[in-house]
Coordinates of all heavy atoms in Angstrom, one line a residue:
M1137 N 50.4 -25.4 -51.7 CA 49.9 -24.3 -51.0 C 48.7 -23.6 -51.7 O 48.8 -23.3 -52.9 CB 51.0 -23.4 -50.6 CG 50.6 -22.2 -49.8 SD 52.0 -21.2 -49.3 CE 52.7 -22.0 -48.1
S1138 N 47.6 -23.4 -51.0 CA 46.4 -22.8 -51.8 C 46.5 -21.3 -51.8 O 47.4 -20.8 -51.1 CB 45.2 -23.2 -51.0 OG 45.1 -22.6 -49.8
P1139 N 45.9 -20.8 -52.8 CA 45.9 -19.3 -52.9 C 45.5 -18.5 -51.6 O 45.9 -17.4 -51.3 CB 45.1 -19.0 -54.2 CG 45.0 -20.2 -54.8 CD 45.1 -21.4 -53.9
L1140 N 44.4 -19.1 -51.0 CA 44.0 -18.4 -49.8 C 45.0 -18.4 -48.6 O 45.1 -17.5 -47.9 CB 42.7 -19.1 -49.3 CG 41.5 -18.8 -50.1 CD1 40.2 -19.5 -49.5 CD2 41.2 -17.3 -50.1
S1141 N 45.8 -19.4 -48.6 CA 46.8 -19.4 -47.5 C 47.9 -18.4 -47.8 O 48.6 -18.0 -46.8 CB 47.4 -20.9 -47.4 OG 48.1 -21.2 -48.5
R1142 N 48.2 -18.1 -49.1 CA 49.2 -17.1 -49.3 C 48.7 -15.7 -48.8 O 49.5 -14.9 -48.6 CB 49.4 -17.0 -50.8 CG 50.5 -18.1 -51.2 CD 50.9 -18.0 -52.5 NE 50.0 -18.9 -53.3 CZ 49.8 -18.8 -54.6 NH1 50.3 -17.8 -55.3 NH2 48.9 -19.6 -55.3
L1143 N 47.4 -15.4 -48.8 CA 46.9 -14.2 -48.4 C 46.9 -14.0 -46.9 O 46.7 -13.0 -46.3 CB 45.4 -14.0 -48.9 CG 45.1 -13.7 -50.3 CD1 43.7 -13.7 -50.6 CD2 45.9 -12.4 -50.7
G1144 N 47.1 -15.1 -46.2 CA 47.1 -15.1 -44.8 C 46.0 -16.0 -44.3 O 45.4 -16.8 -45.1
E1145 N 45.6 -16.0 -43.1 CA 44.5 -16.8 -42.7 C 43.2 -16.4 -43.2 O 43.1 -15.3 -43.7 CB 44.5 -16.7 -41.1 CG 45.8 -17.2 -40.4 CD 45.7 -17.1 -38.8 OE1 44.7 -17.1 -38.3 OE2 46.8 -17.1 -38.3
T1146 N 42.4 -17.4 -43.1 CA 40.9 -16.9 -43.7 C 40.2 -15.9 -42.9 O 39.3 -15.4 -43.4 CB 40.1 -18.3 -43.9 OG1 39.9 -18.9 -42.6 CG2 40.7 -19.2 -44.9
R1147 N 40.6 -15.7 -41.8 CA 39.9 -14.7 -40.9 C 40.2 -13.2 -41.5 O 39.5 -12.4 -41.2 CB 40.2 -14.7 -39.6 CG 41.7 -14.5 -39.2 CD 42.0 -14.7 -37.7 NE 43.5 -14.5 -37.5 CZ 43.9 -14.0 -36.5 NH1 43.2 -13.5 -35.6 NH2 45.3 -13.8 -36.4
H1148 N 41.2 -13.1 -42.3 CA 41.7 -11.8 -42.8 C 41.0 -11.7 -44.2 O 41.1 -10.6 -44.8 CB 43.1 -11.8 -43.0 CG 43.9 -11.7 -41.6 ND1 43.5 -10.7 -40.6 CD2 44.7 -12.6 -41.2 CE1 44.3 -11.1 -39.7 NE2 45.0 -12.2 -40.0
L1149 N 40.2 -12.7 -44.7 CA 39.7 -12.6 -46.0 C 38.6 -11.5 -46.1 O 38.4 -10.7 -47.1 CB 39.0 -13.9 -46.4 CG 38.6 -14.1 -47.8 CD1 39.7 -13.9 -48.8 CD2 38.0 -15.5 -48.0
G1150 N 37.8 -11.2 -45.1 CA 36.9 -10.2 -45.0 C 37.6 -8.8 -45.3 O 37.0 -8.0 -45.9
L1151 N 38.8 -8.6 -44.6 CA 39.4 -7.3 -44.8 C 39.8 -7.2 -46.3 O 39.9 -6.0 -46.8 CB 40.7 -7.3 -43.9 CG 40.4 -7.3 -42.5 CD1 41.7 -7.3 -41.6 CD2 39.6 -5.9 -42.1
V1152 N 40.3 -8.2 -47.0 CA 40.7 -8.3 -48.4 C 39.5 -7.9 -49.2 O 39.5 -7.1 -50.1 CB 41.4 -9.6 -48.7 CG1 41.7 -9.7 -50.3 CG2 42.6 -9.8 -47.9
V1153 N 38.3 -8.6 -48.9 CA 37.1 -8.3 -49.6 C 36.7 -6.8 -49.5 O 36.3 -6.2 -50.5 CB 35.9 -9.2 -49.2 CG1 34.7 -8.8 -49.8 CG2 36.3 -10.7 -49.7
A1154 N 36.9 -6.3 -48.3 CA 36.4 -4.9 -48.0 C 37.4 -3.9 -48.8 O 37.0 -3.0 -49.4 CB 36.5 -4.6 -46.6
L1155 N 38.7 -4.2 -48.8 CA 39.6 -3.4 -49.7 C 39.3 -3.4 -51.0 O 39.4 -2.4 -51.7 CB 41.0 -3.9 -49.3 CG 42.2 -3.0 -50.0 CD1 42.2 -1.6 -49.6 CD2 43.5 -3.8 -49.8
V1156 N 39.1 -4.6 -51.6 CA 38.7 -4.7 -53.0 C 37.4 -4.0 -53.4 O 37.3 -3.3 -54.3 CB 38.6 -6.2 -53.5 CG1 38.1 -6.5 -54.9 CG2 40.0 -6.8 -53.4
L1157 N 36.4 -4.1 -52.5 CA 35.2 -3.4 -52.7 C 35.3 -1.8 -52.7 O 34.8 -1.1 -53.4 CB 34.1 -3.8 -51.5 CG 32.7 -3.2 -51.7 CD1 32.1 -3.7 -52.9 CD2 32.0 -3.5 -50.4
L1158 N 36.2 -1.4 -51.7 CA 36.4 0.1 -51.8 C 37.2 0.5 -53.0 O 36.9 1.6 -53.6 CB 37.3 0.4 -50.6 CG 36.5 0.5 -49.3 CD1 37.5 0.7 -48.1 CD2 35.6 1.6 -49.2
A1159 N 38.2 -0.3 -53.5 CA 38.8 0.0 -54.8 C 37.9 0.0 -55.9 O 37.8 0.9 -56.8 CB 40.0 -1.0 -55.1
V1160 N 37.0 -0.9 -56.0 CA 35.9 -1.0 -57.1 C 35.0 0.2 -57.0 O 34.7 0.7 -58.1 CB 35.1 -2.4 -57.0 CG1 34.0 -2.2 -57.9 CG2 36.0 -3.5 -57.4
V1161 N 34.7 0.6 -55.9 CA 33.8 1.8 -55.7 C 34.5 3.0 -56.2 O 33.9 3.9 -56.9 CB 33.3 1.9 -54.2 CG1 32.6 3.4 -54.0 CG2 32.3 0.9 -53.9
G1162 N 35.8 3.1 -55.9 CA 36.6 4.3 -56.3 C 36.6 4.3 -57.9 O 36.6 5.4 -58.4
L1163 N 37.0 3.1 -58.4 CA 37.1 3.0 -59.8 C 35.8 3.3 -60.6 O 35.9 3.9 -61.6 CB 37.7 1.7 -60.2 CG 39.1 1.5 -59.9 CD1 39.4 0.0 -60.1 CD2 40.0 2.4 -60.7
V1164 N 34.7 3.0 -60.0 CA 33.4 3.3 -60.7 C 33.0 4.6 -60.6 O 32.4 5.3 -61.5 CB 32.3 2.3 -60.1 CG1 31.0 2.7 -60.5 CG2 32.6 0.9 -60.4
T1165 N 33.1 5.3 -59.4 CA 32.7 6.7 -59.1 C 33.5 7.7 -59.7 O 33.0 8.7 -60.4 CB 32.6 6.8 -57.6 OG1 33.8 6.7 -57.0 CG2 31.5 6.1 -57.0
V1166 N 34.8 7.5 -59.7 CA 35.8 8.6 -60.3 C 36.9 7.8 -61.1 O 37.9 7.8 -60.6 CB 36.3 9.5 -59.3 CG1 35.4 10.7 -59.0 CG2 36.9 8.8 -58.0
P1167 N 36.5 7.2 -62.3 CA 37.6 6.4 -62.9 C 38.8 7.1 -63.5 O 39.9 6.7 -63.6 CB 36.8 5.8 -64.0 CG 35.6 6.6 -64.2 CD 35.3 7.2 -63.0
D1168 N 38.6 8.5 -63.7 CA 39.6 9.2 -64.4 C 40.7 9.6 -63.4 O 41.8 10.0 -63.8 CB 39.1 10.4 -65.2 CG 38.2 11.3 -64.4 OD1 37.7 10.7 -63.3 OD2 38.0 12.4 -64.7
T1169 N 40.3 9.8 -62.1 CA 41.3 10.4 -61.1 C 41.7 9.3 -60.1 O 42.7 9.5 -59.4 CB 40.8 11.5 -60.4 OG1 39.5 11.2 -59.8 CG2 40.6 12.7 -61.3
F1170 N 40.9 8.2 -59.8 CA 41.3 7.4 -58.8 C 42.4 6.5 -59.0 O 43.3 6.2 -58.2 CB 40.0 6.4 -58.5 CG 40.3 5.4 -57.4 CD1 40.2 6.0 -56.1 CD2 40.6 4.1 -57.6 CE1 40.4 5.1 -55.1 CE2 40.8 3.3 -56.5 CZ 40.7 3.8 -55.2
A1171 N 42.6 6.0 -60.2 CA 43.7 5.0 -60.5 C 45.0 5.7 -61.0 O 45.8 5.1 -61.8 CB 43.3 4.0 -61.6
T1172 N 45.2 7.0 -60.7 CA 46.3 7.6 -61.1 C 47.5 7.4 -60.3 O 47.3 7.1 -59.0 CB 46.1 9.2 -61.3 OG1 45.8 9.6 -60.0 CG2 45.0 9.4 -62.4
T1173 N 48.7 7.7 -60.8 CA 49.9 7.5 -59.9 C 50.0 8.5 -58.7 O 50.3 8.1 -57.6 CB 51.2 7.6 -60.7 OG1 51.1 6.7 -61.8 CG2 52.4 7.4 -59.9
S1174 N 49.5 9.7 -59.0 CA 49.6 10.6 -58.0 C 48.6 10.4 -56.8 O 48.9 10.7 -55.7 CB 49.3 12.1 -58.5 OG 48.0 12.1 -59.0
N1175 N 47.4 9.9 -57.2 CA 46.4 9.5 -56.1 C 46.9 8.3 -55.3 O 46.8 8.3 -54.1 CB 45.1 9.1 -56.7 CG 44.1 8.9 -55.7 OD1 44.0 9.7 -54.7 ND2 43.3 8.0 -56.0
M1176 N 47.7 7.4 -55.8 CA 48.2 6.2 -55.2 C 49.2 6.7 -54.3 O 49.3 6.2 -53.0 CB 48.6 5.1 -56.1 CG 47.5 4.5 -56.9 SD 46.4 3.8 -55.9 CE 45.0 3.5 -57.0
V1177 N 50.0 7.6 -54.7 CA 51.2 8.0 -53.9 C 50.6 8.9 -52.7 O 51.0 8.8 -51.5 CB 52.1 9.0 -54.7 CG1 53.1 9.8 -53.8 CG2 52.9 8.2 -55.6
S1178 N 49.5 9.7 -52.9 CA 48.9 10.5 -51.9 C 48.3 9.5 -50.9 O 48.4 9.8 -49.7 CB 47.8 11.4 -52.5 OG 47.1 12.0 -51.5
I1179 N 47.6 8.5 -51.3 CA 47.0 7.5 -50.3 C 48.1 6.8 -49.5 O 48.0 6.6 -48.3 CB 46.2 6.4 -51.2 CG1 45.0 7.0 -51.7 CG2 45.8 5.2 -50.2 CD1 44.2 6.1 -52.6
L1180 N 49.2 6.4 -50.1 CA 50.2 5.7 -49.4 C 50.9 6.7 -48.4 O 51.3 6.3 -47.3 CB 51.3 5.1 -50.3 CG 50.8 3.9 -51.1 CD1 51.9 3.4 -52.1 CD2 50.5 2.8 -50.1
S1181 N 51.2 7.9 -48.8 CA 51.8 8.9 -47.9 C 50.9 9.3 -46.7 O 51.3 9.4 -45.5 CB 52.1 10.2 -48.6 OG 51.1 10.8 -49.0
L1182 N 49.6 9.3 -46.9 CA 48.7 9.6 -45.7 C 48.7 8.3 -44.9 O 48.5 8.5 -43.7 CB 47.4 9.9 -46.3 CG 47.1 11.2 -47.0 CD1 45.8 11.3 -47.6 CD2 47.3 12.3 -46.0
A1183 N 48.8 7.2 -45.4 CA 48.7 5.9 -44.6 C 50.1 5.7 -43.9 O 50.2 4.9 -42.9 CB 48.4 4.7 -45.4
A1184 N 51.1 6.3 -44.3 CA 52.4 6.1 -43.7 C 52.5 6.6 -42.3 O 53.1 6.0 -41.4 CB 53.5 6.8 -44.6
T1185 N 51.8 7.6 -42.0 CA 51.8 8.1 -40.7 C 51.2 7.1 -39.6 O 51.7 6.9 -38.6 CB 50.9 9.4 -40.6 OG1 51.4 10.3 -41.5 CG2 51.0 10.0 -39.1
I1186 N 50.1 6.5 -40.0 CA 49.5 5.5 -39.2 C 50.3 4.3 -39.1 O 50.5 3.6 -38.0 CB 48.0 5.3 -39.7 CG1 47.2 6.3 -39.8 CG2 47.4 4.1 -38.8 CD1 46.8 7.0 -38.5
G1187 N 51.0 4.0 -40.2 CA 51.9 2.8 -40.2 C 53.1 3.0 -39.3 O 53.5 2.0 -38.6
V1188 N 53.6 4.2 -39.3 CA 54.9 4.5 -38.3 C 54.5 4.2 -36.9 O 55.0 3.7 -36.0 CB 55.5 5.8 -38.7 CG1 56.4 6.2 -37.5 CG2 56.2 5.7 -40.0
I1189 N 53.2 5.0 -36.5 CA 52.7 4.9 -35.2 C 52.4 3.3 -34.8 O 52.7 2.9 -33.7 CB 51.4 5.8 -35.0 CG1 51.9 7.2 -35.1 CG2 50.8 5.5 -33.8 CD1 50.8 8.1 -35.2
T1190 N 51.8 2.6 -35.8 CA 51.5 1.2 -35.5 C 52.8 0.4 -35.2 O 52.7 -0.4 -34.2 CB 50.7 0.6 -36.8 OG1 49.6 1.4 -37.0 CG2 50.4 -0.8 -36.5
V1191 N 53.8 0.7 -36.0 CA 55.0 -0.2 -35.7 C 55.6 0.2 -34.3 O 56.0 -0.6 -33.6 CB 56.1 0.1 -36.8 CG1 57.4 -0.4 -36.4 CG2 55.6 -0.5 -38.1
G1192 N 55.6 1.5 -34.0 CA 56.0 1.9 -32.7 C 55.3 1.3 -31.6 O 55.8 0.8 -30.5
M1193 N 53.9 1.3 -31.7 CA 53.1 0.7 -30.7 C 53.2 -0.8 -30.7 O 53.1 -1.4 -29.5 CB 51.6 1.0 -31.0 CG 51.3 2.4 -30.5 SD 51.6 2.8 -28.9 CE 50.5 1.6 -28.0
T1194 N 53.5 -1.5 -31.7 CA 53.9 -2.9 -31.7 C 55.0 -3.2 -30.8 O 54.9 -4.2 -30.0 CB 54.0 -3.5 -33.1 OG1 52.8 -3.2 -33.9 CG2 54.3 -4.9 -33.2
F1195 N 56.0 -2.4 -30.9 CA 57.2 -2.6 -30.2 C 56.9 -2.5 -28.6 O 57.5 -3.2 -27.7 CB 58.4 -1.9 -30.5 CG 59.1 -2.4 -31.9 CD1 59.2 -1.5 -33.0 CD2 59.5 -3.6 -32.1 CE1 59.7 -2.0 -34.1 CE2 59.9 -4.1 -33.2 CZ 60.1 -3.3 -34.4
V1196 N 56.1 -1.4 -28.3 CA 55.7 -1.1 -27.0 C 55.0 -2.3 -26.4 O 55.2 -2.7 -25.3 CB 55.0 0.3 -26.9 CG1 54.4 0.4 -25.4 CG2 55.9 1.4 -27.2
I1197 N 54.0 -2.7 -27.1 CA 53.2 -3.9 -26.6 C 53.9 -5.2 -26.5 O 53.8 -5.9 -25.5 CB 51.9 -3.9 -27.5 CG1 51.0 -2.8 -27.4 CG2 51.3 -5.4 -27.2 CD1 49.9 -2.9 -28.4
I1198 N 54.8 -5.5 -27.5 CA 55.7 -6.6 -27.4 C 56.6 -6.5 -26.0 O 56.9 -7.5 -25.4 CB 56.6 -6.8 -28.5 CG1 55.8 -7.4 -29.8 CG2 57.7 -7.7 -28.3 CD1 56.3 -7.3 -31.0
G1199 N 57.1 -5.4 -25.7 CA 57.9 -5.1 -24.5 C 57.1 -5.2 -23.3 O 57.7 -5.2 -22.2
G1200 N 55.9 -5.3 -23.3 CA 55.2 -5.4 -22.2 C 54.5 -4.2 -21.6 O 53.6 -4.2 -20.6
G1201 N 54.7 -3.1 -22.2 CA 54.1 -1.9 -21.8 C 52.9 -1.5 -22.7 O 52.8 -1.7 -23.9
I1202 N 51.8 -1.1 -22.0 CA 50.6 -0.5 -22.9 C 50.5 1.0 -22.6 O 50.4 1.4 -21.5 CB 49.4 -1.2 -22.3 CG1 49.5 -2.8 -22.4 CG2 48.1 -0.7 -23.1 CD1 49.5 -3.3 -23.9
D1203 N 50.6 1.7 -23.7 CA 50.6 3.1 -23.6 C 49.5 3.6 -24.4 O 49.7 3.7 -25.7 CB 51.9 3.7 -23.9 CG 52.0 5.3 -23.8 OD1 51.1 5.7 -23.0 OD2 52.9 5.8 -24.1
L1204 N 48.4 3.9 -23.9 CA 47.2 4.4 -24.8 C 47.3 5.9 -25.0 O 46.4 6.4 -25.8 CB 46.0 4.0 -24.0 CG 45.6 2.5 -23.9 CD1 44.4 2.5 -23.1 CD2 45.6 1.8 -25.0
S1205 N 48.3 6.6 -24.6 CA 48.4 8.1 -24.8 C 48.8 8.4 -26.2 O 48.7 9.5 -26.7 CB 49.2 8.7 -23.8 OG 50.6 8.3 -24.0
V1206 N 49.3 7.4 -27.0 CA 49.7 7.7 -28.3 C 48.6 8.1 -29.2 O 48.7 9.0 -30.0 CB 50.4 6.4 -28.9 CG1 50.8 6.6 -30.4 CG2 51.6 6.1 -28.1
G1207 N 47.4 7.5 -29.1 CA 46.3 8.0 -29.9 C 45.9 9.3 -29.6 O 45.5 10.2 -30.4
A1208 N 45.8 9.7 -28.3 CA 45.6 11.1 -28.0 C 46.6 12.1 -28.5 O 46.2 13.2 -28.9 CB 45.4 11.2 -26.4
I1209 N 47.8 11.7 -28.4 CA 48.8 12.6 -28.8 C 48.7 12.8 -30.4 O 48.9 13.9 -30.9 CB 50.3 12.1 -28.5 CG1 50.4 12.2 -26.9 CG2 51.4 12.9 -29.1 CD1 50.4 13.6 -26.3
M1210 N 48.4 11.7 -31.1 CA 48.2 11.8 -32.6 C 47.0 12.7 -32.9 O 47.2 13.4 -33.8 CB 48.0 10.4 -33.1 CG 48.1 10.4 -34.6 SD 47.9 8.9 -35.3 CE 46.0 8.7 -35.2
A1211 N 46.0 12.5 -32.1 CA 44.9 13.4 -32.4 C 45.2 14.8 -32.1 O 44.8 15.7 -32.8 CB 43.6 12.9 -31.6
L1212 N 46.0 15.2 -31.0 CA 46.2 16.4 -30.6 C 47.1 17.1 -31.8 O 46.9 18.2 -32.3 CB 46.9 16.6 -29.4 CG 47.5 18.0 -29.0 CD1 46.2 18.8 -28.8 CD2 48.3 17.8 -27.7
A1213 N 48.1 16.2 -32.3 CA 49.0 16.7 -33.2 C 48.3 17.0 -34.6 O 48.6 18.0 -35.3 CB 50.1 15.7 -33.5
S1214 N 47.4 16.1 -35.0 CA 46.6 16.4 -36.2 C 45.8 17.6 -36.1 O 45.6 18.3 -37.1 CB 45.8 15.2 -36.5 OG 44.8 15.0 -35.6
V1215 N 45.1 17.9 -35.0 CA 44.3 19.1 -34.8 C 45.3 20.4 -34.9 O 44.9 21.4 -35.5 CB 43.5 19.1 -33.5 CG1 42.9 20.4 -33.2 CG2 42.4 18.0 -33.7
W1216 N 46.5 20.2 -34.2 CA 47.3 21.5 -34.3 C 47.8 21.7 -35.7 O 48.0 22.8 -36.2 CB 48.5 21.1 -33.3 CG 49.5 22.2 -33.1 CD1 49.3 23.3 -32.6 CD2 50.8 22.1 -33.6 NE1 50.4 24.1 -32.8 CE2 51.4 23.4 -33.3 CE3 51.5 21.1 -34.2 CZ2 52.8 23.6 -33.7 CZ3 52.9 21.5 -34.6 CH2 53.4 22.7 -34.3
A1217 N 48.2 20.6 -36.5 CA 48.7 20.7 -37.7 C 47.6 21.3 -38.7 O 47.9 22.2 -39.6 CB 49.2 19.4 -38.3
T1218 N 46.4 20.9 -38.6 CA 45.3 21.4 -39.3 C 45.1 22.9 -39.0 O 44.9 23.7 -40.0 CB 44.0 20.6 -39.0 OG1 44.3 19.2 -39.3 CG2 42.9 21.1 -40.0
T1219 N 45.2 23.2 -37.7 CA 45.0 24.6 -37.4 C 46.2 25.5 -38.0 O 45.9 26.6 -38.5 CB 45.0 24.8 -35.9 OG1 44.0 24.0 -35.3 CG2 44.9 26.3 -35.5
L1220 N 47.3 25.0 -38.0 CA 48.4 25.8 -38.5 C 48.3 25.8 -40.1 O 48.6 26.9 -40.6 CB 49.9 25.1 -38.2 CG 50.3 25.2 -36.7 CD1 51.5 24.5 -36.4 CD2 50.4 26.8 -36.4
A1221 N 47.9 24.7 -40.7 CA 47.7 24.7 -42.1 C 46.6 25.7 -42.6 O 46.7 26.2 -43.7 CB 47.5 23.3 -42.7
T1222 N 45.6 25.8 -41.9 CA 44.4 26.6 -42.3 C 44.4 28.2 -41.9 O 43.7 28.9 -42.4 CB 43.0 25.9 -41.9 OG1 43.1 25.9 -40.4 CG2 42.9 24.6 -42.5
Q1223 N 45.2 28.4 -40.9 CA 45.2 29.7 -40.3 C 46.5 30.5 -41.0 O 47.5 29.8 -41.4 CB 45.3 29.8 -38.8 CG 44.2 29.0 -38.2 CD 42.8 29.7 -38.5 OE1 42.6 30.9 -38.6 NE2 41.8 28.8 -38.8
S1224 N 46.5 31.7 -40.8 CA 47.7 32.5 -41.4 C 48.5 32.8 -40.3 O 48.6 34.1 -39.8 CB 47.3 33.6 -42.2 OG 46.5 34.6 -41.4
Y1225 N 49.4 32.0 -39.7 CA 50.3 32.2 -38.6 C 51.7 32.5 -39.1 O 52.3 31.8 -39.9 CB 50.4 31.1 -37.6 CG 49.1 30.8 -36.8 CD1 48.4 29.8 -36.8 CD2 48.8 31.9 -35.8 CE1 47.2 29.7 -36.1 CE2 47.6 31.8 -35.1 CZ 46.8 30.6 -35.2 OH 45.8 30.5 -34.4

């Protein structure tokens, strides 16, 4: 088995290259804060929200239903949460 086949199909190679390029840019521009444990935890916790929504939508699509309102609800919730976080309510 070749190393490329372990990464997935070759059509995903562009995504891997883009991710590596973003990591290199982060390491070059701010090397003292980018590769810290707290930054990695912060990145993963911010990505977890999108991951949970993605898994839920995957089950909906597999079940045969297409519900595009999830994106609108997520946008509304993020605006509402930002408003609550920045205002003194």
